[in-house]
Amino acid sequence: MTGFLFDNSYARLPEVFFRTCEPTPVAAPALIRFNHALAAQLGYQGDADDAELLAQIFSGNQLLAGSRPIATAYAGHQFGGFNPRLGDGRAVLLGEVVTADGQRRDIQLKGAGRTPFSRGGDGRSPLGPVLREYLVSEAMHALGVATTRALAAVTTGERVYRDKPLPGAILTRVAASHIRVGTFQFFASQRDIDSLKALADHVIERHFAGISGHAQPYLALLQQVVQKQAELIAHWMSLGFIHGVMNTDNVLVSGETIDYGPCAFMDSFHPETVFSSIDAGGRYAYQMQPAVGQWNMARFAETLLPLIAADQDQAVEQATAVIRDFVGIYDAAWLRCFRAKLGLRAVQSDDRQLIEDLLDLMAQHSVDFTLLFRSLQDAVLAPQQAVQTLALFHGASAWQGWAARWSQRLELEQQTPEQIAAGLRGINPAVIPRNHRIEQAIQAASEGQDFSDFQRLNRILSSPFLVTDEDAQWMGPPQPSEKVCKTFCGT
Ligand code: AMP
Ligand code: MG
């Protein structure tokens, strides 16, 4: 057998949830990269070194036995405006597999051709967004963030036409599921309560089996999704990650990060940073992410109201209380993440102030987010004399003033400075997917068919806490001439 042992639970839902839709074959597929470790987890059977066969399979040219290709229906708020009919316009779900440890995973081709939801689009993807998603989603996974993953990337041998002709490509995305807040909105906006209930029951069984016997399962579902979302966004914030397009169709109820279109990691820290070319108003700026996350959860709650209680006033009251809890869950998760980044395990009441004051200083001095936190593993041994950290600030006094407070605070810890330093090595990454390197890799691949930077980036980012000096050097902040200020949606 070649392929996977498919078990397609979503395709067993009523027909209103999706449309049957096969990938459109491409002219000359060629494999860019295959994720062997992930393939093994998914139970891939077949010759994982047969690049030609893999290119046929992960371009959609060759359909695997047991696959039941569909495009899923969803709606969504995009930049605040509601669109009742989106759906997978350029993605085809090949099917689901259950891993050896019992986890269900979607396998989806992105860029596989037109679907019934394509509207005016061509259903294709240029190479750039495919490489970006591969790099960033796999980097996020290596950083320990809940995320969709990349199983394969292929070029199609065809051109796609945007403002200019570009090489086409297809990404194979793996996710716990592709069920979005927007999937719930699709049925809620049509007042299709039966389908809404079927969807909610499917999600509970698939992602939150623990609440199936709950007295109020749909309220508990809201609680679970709110908690996952609040913790996910806190995790993003602790890495300087900006999602860039937090529309409700890009929010998975499983709590995984999805859609790596206009995302980016910050270099020098500023809370108002925005990269996305389509986000002129700064709706999805770094510091807005928790508030937007809560707003998205309120939209999710609205869809569940008919299921939560027969009395709608009562449903609103109960759902509102859960949405209010987002703030407390987020704040606690944020504090947990940033305490850990400073080597603090004990809990002290003024820790939040200490962290916020550091972030303020970093913003004032345009300090590189990743380098600063990484430097703390050495700084912890002698905070006042921390050469690498000091070099990130203009003048010594700003850092030294804060370092004196940190130093006092570290004395309340039960660990030696050496132990704290060792712990920090696994918490603050040495490297993140810097935008200028991603752009460089995309350009070399798109214009010169040279994938060496892409492959090198993948290799380095697969172990972000452990890199050689040479790799760390290459992964440093951009020179002024290398800075990338805008990222683009993957369309
Ligand atoms: P995205 O920006 O990928 O989140 O897509 C937003 C919406 O536009 C979704 O409904 C997509 O399926 C659809 N879409 C994006 N790009 C294309 C394309 N090239 N062809 C067809 N539909 C697309
Ligand atoms: Mg999207």
Side-chain angles (χ1 to χ4, degrees), residues 123-362:
R124 294 297 186 191
S125 175
L127 177 59
V130 166
L131 297 183
R132 172 177 286 272
E133 175 158 348
Y134 198 116
L135 285 168
V136 185
S137 66
E138 284 302 300
M140 291 283 268
H141 171 74
L143 289 164
V145 182
T147 178
T148 65
R149 307 235 6 225
L151 176 62
V154 299
T155 48
T156 58
E158 297 176 358
R159 304 248 136 203
V160 296
Y161 297 89
R162 298 297 181 257
D163 28 334
K164 56 182 178 183
L166 295 165
I170 297 173
L171 180 86
T172 306
R173 179 160 65 187
V174 172
S177 82
H178 284 85
I179 302 169
R180 309 146 189 267
V181 168
T183 316
F184 281 80
Q185 289 180 298
F186 181 83
F187 298 108
S189 71
Q190 298 171 25
R191 310 257 185 283
D192 180 354
I193 309 300
D194 289 344
S195 298
L196 202 60
K197 184 170 178 306
L199 181 63
D201 290 339
H202 176 83
V203 167
I204 289 172
E205 190 187 329
R206 184 163 175 176
H207 297 300
F208 305 106
I211 62 170
S212 57
H214 199 281
Q216 282 197 285
Y218 306 111
L219 190 65
L221 170 62
L222 178 61
Q223 271 159 346
Q224 296 281 325
V225 175
V226 162
Q227 171 154 358
K228 293 240 178 209
Q229 199 58 212
E231 288 174 348
L232 177 69
I233 295 171
H235 206 166
W236 292 353
M237 300 298 277
S238 76
L239 291 163
F241 176 75
I242 303 171
H243 183 281
V245 61
M246 291 173 68
N247 296 331
T248 57
D249 55 304
N250 291 332
V251 179
L252 293 179
V253 296
S254 70
E256 289 182 341
T257 312
I258 191 173
D259 201 319
Y260 292 94
C263 66
F265 283 77
M266 259 189 286
D267 296 307
S268 58
F269 178 70
H270 200 287
E272 285 164 22
T273 306
V274 181
F275 288 102
S276 168
S277 62
I278 52 171
D279 189 9
R283 180 181 171 90
Y284 300 140
Y286 174 79
Q287 69 179 0
M288 295 294 289
Q289 296 186 122
V292 172
Q294 190 188 23
W295 190 89
N296 287 339
M297 289 299 96
R299 305 290 77 75
F300 181 49
E302 283 164 6
T303 71
L304 294 178
L305 290 176
L307 304 181
I308 288 176
D311 177 332
Q312 284 306 279
D313 291 341
Q314 191 190 339
V316 169
E317 193 179 313
Q318 291 181 335
T320 304
V322 176
I323 296 303
R324 289 218 177 94
D325 288 344
F326 182 98
V327 177
I329 298 167
Y330 170 79
D331 280 349
W334 184 91
L335 199 53
R336 228 174 18 249
C337 286
F338 276 91
R339 259 199 193 111
K341 292 178 79 68
L342 298 188
L344 309 178
R345 285 197 184 175
V347 171
Q348 294 291 323
S349 60
D350 41 9
D351 288 346
R352 177 177 294 276
Q353 196 61 54
L354 186 70
I355 297 163
E356 283 176 352
D357 289 347
L358 175 62
L359 292 171
D360 282 348
L361 277 180
M362 287 166 63

Side-chain angles (χ1 to χ4, degrees), residues 410-447:
L410 286 168
E411 280 169 25
L412 303 175
E413 292 294 312
Q414 303 293 322
Q415 292 184 295
T416 65
E418 288 74 17
Q419 287 170 324
I420 296 175
L424 285 177
R425 237 159 264 149
I427 291 171
N428 296 319
V431 293
I432 42 127
R434 302 244 185 212
N435 227 348
H436 66 297
R437 290 294 178 223
I438 294 177
E439 289 300 328
Q440 178 183 324
I442 289 174
Q443 208 170 354
S446 300
E447 286 164 24

